[in-house]
Amino acid sequence: MPFSSFDRCSIIIENDIIYRHKVLRVNYTTYDLRRAQDSLNPRIPSHADVIVLSPENDEDNEDPHPYWYARTLGIYHANVRYVGPGSKSPEPQKMDFLFVRWFGRDPEPQPGWKAKRLIRLGFVPGNSGSAFGFLDPGQVIRAVHLIPAFKWGRVTSKYLPRSLIARGSKDPDSDWQLYYVGMYVIFVFLFGSIVEKQL
């Protein structure tokens, strides 16, 4: 949904300050109905990937997938006031948000349990308008474990030129071309013990 200049002028960030945080903790329920917590840290790429529900689960999409995947690049909050029509309070409200780089799903070859293939992802090209975005931390389901697809190697400028923000200072010039989504399977044995294994 596009926002007009009037809409933008109706939002005031208190003192023009956005606060940055180092870690985001996400609470979630495990498969055996226990509480657990993930820590997301944008400075460590292997601890910065998240999974959110996809809005593409509708009849219009031929190949719907229930999730979208993103790499967290920054964790922020700001105190924001809305002064436009319908404003209910003049007091600032704390707004938390994430700056993310989106992954796109590779539809070929067809992934899934029947095909015995993991879901494969790659970064959305940097020149696309949907490569980066902002995300409400409340939409994050949990962290996701992504495994680099070593067979496809690394790429330098295919998706994004050199970037300290999107890639970090350790390797600002290249990304893995593709990643696999690590998935868990729960095996139930005859004696009732449950064992989780990562594929």
Side-chain angles (χ1 to χ4, degrees):
M1 174 182 175
F3 294 98
S4 67
S5 296
F6 177 77
D7 292 331
R8 292 186 187 96
C9 291
S10 300
I11 302 294
I12 297 173
I13 298 175
E14 279 291 292
N15 302 319
D16 294 328
I17 298 175
I18 294 177
Y19 300 90
R20 185 174 188 151
H21 303 278
K22 292 183 178 180
V23 177
L24 171 70
R25 301 194 195 291
V26 178
N27 296 318
Y28 67 95
T29 305
T30 63
Y31 299 106
D32 56 351
L33 300 178
R34 295 176 187 243
R35 293 181 189 165
Q37 187 178 74
D38 285 329
S39 291
L40 302 171
N41 187 336
R43 294 170 296 156
I44 306 170
S46 61
H47 289 81
D49 300 325
V50 297
I51 184 171
V52 297
L53 283 177
S54 165
E56 66 185 36
N57 291 332
D58 54 16
E59 293 99 23
D60 300 338
N61 194 333
E62 296 173 9
D63 183 25
H65 184 66
Y67 306 111
W68 279 3
Y69 305 89
R71 175 156 294 163
T72 306
L73 302 178
I75 303 164
Y76 305 96
H77 93 265
N79 296 315
V80 178
R81 282 191 297 132
Y82 175 64
V83 294
S87 174
K88 298 192 180 356
S89 170
E91 296 300 314
Q93 305 292 317
K94 181 183 175 191
M95 178 178 274
D96 300 313
F97 57 97
L98 306 175
F99 179 51
V100 298
R101 184 178 181 194
W102 291 105
F103 288 99
R105 216 167 27 99
D106 183 9
E108 297 294 329
Q110 187 66 32
W113 296 110
K114 289 182 182 176
K116 297 183 176 82
R117 289 191 187 100
L118 294 173
I119 297 163
R120 202 161 62 189
L121 308 173
F123 283 114
V124 174
N127 58 2
S128 166
S130 58
F132 297 91
F134 293 98
L135 184 64
D136 177 356
Q139 292 181 315
V140 173
I141 297 172
R142 63 173 296 180
V144 64
H145 177 62
L146 298 182
I147 306 159
F150 299 108
K151 173 185 175 184
W152 301 97
R154 297 179 81 92
V155 291
T156 50
S157 59
K158 180 176 180 181
Y159 297 121
L160 191 71
R162 179 181 173 87
S163 173
L164 291 172
I165 295 172
R167 295 191 184 112
S169 58
K170 287 188 178 179
D171 195 0
D173 296 313
S174 65
D175 295 308
W176 288 104
Q177 186 164 337
L178 294 169
Y179 295 84
Y180 292 107
V181 178
M183 300 170 70
Y184 287 87
V185 179
I186 298 177
F187 295 102
V188 180
F189 293 102
L190 291 175
F191 299 109
S193 61
I194 298 176
V195 177
E196 289 186 4
K197 285 200 171 184
Q198 183 177 1
L199 289 178

